[in-house]
Amino acid sequence: MTATVPDAVRTPYRRSGATRFALWAQRLGWRHVVMWVVAAFAVFPVLFVVSAALNPVGTLSSSQLWPTGASLANAQDLFQNTPFTTWYANSLFFALTNAAVTVLLSALAAYAFSRMRFKGRRVGLIGLLIIQMFPQFLAIVAIYLMFSNIGELYPAIGFDTRWGLLLVYLGGALSINTWLMKGFFDTVPKELDESAQIDGATHAQVFFRIMLPLVTPVLAIVALLVFISTINEFLMASVFLRDTDAKTLGLGLYQLVASQRNANFGMFAVGAIMLSLPTLIVFWFLQRYISDGLTAGAVKG
């Protein structure tokens, strides 16, 4: 004899499959919708720039989201008719040099503020914090007048020189990065320093052999942020670099579209893609250092 189940009991199970999608849409579906909207918002300008770079006409008015044809004529014109390689080399020089020197100097200053006690330490930290509150472009007139006089005495660090603009970049990047690194140095136990000094290590040996390997994540983060901000910087470079061969790639690309925005947009798109490649490479290279540093403390050894 087989027992029968009333319809009132079977109904919820019959409708469970039909309501599964509704429950998923209510709990998780909105997240997928938001993800697709954000992805489309991020991918749209990239597709448009790639399409404009491949557009054989090379004008802004003829650019579309999906290219009707593909050609490397814009890249050929950019390399042959403009000093692209010089602009590109200048941008890489400023970005790489500024990132490397900023990381070193900021780490040295952060180590001193974190581990040493000296007169003026608190005033120096507060001064760095106050300076960072004001945007760098507010001092652009004072910096311009300063380098006008410096350039007459020392032409090697005046206008249209790499070292003059590099000094400006270094001055604007040290304050916030010193504060950021100091916070990481404070998390390292001081007992490590004391043990090394008892064994005869100097401050330099403690800094380079003990401290720097322990704060690798913040070094990678600072290097990445400084590299991105420098390679994309435009305002200071437009004031200091006036000669065509001394310009960065950002200034050179702006020069292409400043007067003939519609005609040279294809070359501008090619240059924009080329400018993004170093950032992607640096991010890919430093990503493993950031990940290794963040996960090293979770492994008990």
Side-chain angles (χ1 to χ4, degrees):
M1 182 175 179
T2 304
T4 59
V5 180
D7 293 339
V9 178
R10 291 199 301 265
T11 301
Y13 294 95
R14 290 178 181 175
R15 293 186 300 182
S16 61
T19 58
R20 187 176 302 171
F21 178 78
L23 293 176
W24 174 85
Q26 181 180 0
R27 296 178 181 178
L28 300 176
W30 64 272
R31 300 181 182 179
H32 291 264
V33 173
V34 173
M35 179 191 68
W36 283 109
V37 171
V38 173
F41 182 79
V43 172
F44 172 77
V46 178
L47 292 178
F48 185 80
V49 172
V50 173
S51 176
L54 298 177
N55 184 13
V57 180
T59 60
L60 178 60
S61 59
S62 63
S63 299
Q64 300 176 359
L65 183 61
W66 300 105
T68 56
S71 174
L72 298 178
N74 294 322
Q76 185 177 1
D77 292 339
L78 181 64
F79 280 93
Q80 293 181 356
N81 301 330
T82 63
F84 173 79
T85 54
T86 303
W87 295 344
Y88 204 74
N90 292 337
S91 296
L92 291 179
F93 170 80
F94 285 120
L96 293 173
T97 307
N98 189 29
V101 178
T102 297
V103 168
L104 177 60
L105 296 182
S106 298
L108 290 171
Y111 176 76
F113 282 119
S114 176
R115 287 299 194 261
M116 302 177 183
R117 298 297 181 266
F118 51 89
K119 187 176 181 180
R121 172 180 174 273
R122 182 177 179 83
V123 176
L125 287 173
I126 296 176
L128 290 176
L129 184 61
I130 294 176
I131 292 173
Q132 186 59 33
M133 294 180 181
F134 299 94
Q136 190 179 18
F137 70 86
L138 293 179
I140 192 170
V141 176
I143 296 176
Y144 180 85
L145 296 176
M146 183 187 304
F147 274 85
S148 297
N149 297 327
I150 293 177
E152 296 178 358
L153 299 177
Y154 305 98
I157 58 175
F159 294 110
D160 294 325
T161 62
R162 292 180 172 182
W163 304 110
L165 183 58
L166 185 61
L167 290 176
V168 177
Y169 285 157
L170 291 174
L174 289 178
S175 56
I176 185 61
N177 294 320
T178 300
W179 263 98
L180 181 62
M181 288 190 179
K182 178 185 176 299
F184 271 74
F185 279 115
D186 291 339
T187 61
V188 179
K190 294 183 179 180
E191 289 76 9
L192 296 176
D193 302 26
E194 296 173 354
S195 299
Q197 291 175 359
I198 291 176
D199 293 337
T202 62
H203 285 292
Q205 292 174 333
V206 172
F207 175 76
F208 287 104
R209 296 186 179 182
I210 298 177
M211 298 296 293
L212 289 187
L214 294 177
V215 296
T216 301
V218 72
L219 299 180
I221 292 172
V222 170
L224 179 62
L225 294 178
V226 174
F227 182 90
I228 294 175
S229 62
T230 305
I231 203 170
N232 295 324
E233 203 279 327
F234 178 81
L235 182 61
M236 288 293 179
S238 63
V239 174
F240 279 82
L241 304 178
R242 297 165 294 185
D243 186 66
T244 302
D245 293 333
K247 292 183 177 181
T248 59
L249 184 56
L251 291 177
L253 295 179
Y254 173 77
Q255 179 180 339
L256 292 178
V257 298
S259 58
Q260 299 178 352
R261 182 172 304 174
N262 184 51
N264 297 327
F265 187 75
M267 292 191 294
F268 178 86
V270 175
I273 295 175
M274 295 295 296
L275 187 62
S276 64
L277 294 180
T279 302
L280 296 176
I281 295 173
V282 171
F283 178 79
W284 177 82
F285 178 75
L286 295 179
Q287 185 180 14
R288 61 193 182 105
Y289 292 98
I290 299 174
S291 302
D292 293 343
L294 294 177
T295 58
V299 181
K300 193 173 182 180

